[in-house]
Amino acid sequence: MEAGEVGNVLATLLFIAHCFVQDETCPLNVWHKHLFKKYCSLKVLNAAVMRLLELCRYKLRITDADLAKRLSHLHASIDRFGSIDARNLG
C-alpha cells in the first residue's frame, strides 16, 4: 500500500473514531468535501467506512492488555526517535 493510500485509510479511521467519541459529529459528506474529494466518490468513501468497521468486527474498543502493549510500543518509539516537533513538519 502506498503512503497516500495509508494516509487516506488513517483519515477514514479518524472519521470512525470521531463518530464514536463525539455526541455531535461532522457528517461524512463534509469529510469527503474537504479531505477525500480528489481521492474518491462519497459512495466509495461510505463503502470504505463500512469495510473498515467490518474488519474491526464493528468493535471500536480494545482490551486493556492490547492497549498496554500498543502504548509500550509507542513509548519505545518516542524513546528511540524522540518526540515530534510539529514546527519541523512543514
Side-chain angles (χ1 to χ4, degrees):
M1 191 180 297
E2 294 181 19
E5 180 81 8
V6 171
N8 286 315
V9 171
L10 288 174
T12 306
L13 287 168
L14 284 172
F15 169 77
I16 293 169
H18 158 77
C19 291
F20 184 68
V21 300
Q22 297 293 315
D23 288 335
E24 294 182 28
T25 61
C26 185
L28 185 60
N29 66 317
V30 175
W31 283 65
H32 179 263
K33 177 181 176 183
H34 294 284
L35 298 174
F36 297 99
K37 191 173 186 174
K38 294 179 182 177
Y39 176 67
C40 65
S41 69
L42 180 57
K43 184 177 181 178
V44 169
L45 181 57
N46 188 58
V49 168
M50 295 308 296
R51 179 66 179 135
L52 287 170
L53 285 168
E54 182 183 340
L55 289 171
C56 295
R57 295 186 178 122
Y58 302 96
K59 294 180 183 177
L60 301 179
R61 293 180 215 99
I62 58 175
T63 65
D64 289 343
D66 197 18
L67 176 62
K69 181 180 175 183
R70 292 171 191 230
L71 284 174
S72 174
H73 287 293
L74 179 61
H75 288 143
S77 293
I78 291 170
D79 291 343
R80 182 173 177 198
F81 299 108
S83 62
I84 296 175
D85 186 345
R87 295 172 292 192
N88 295 330
L89 295 176

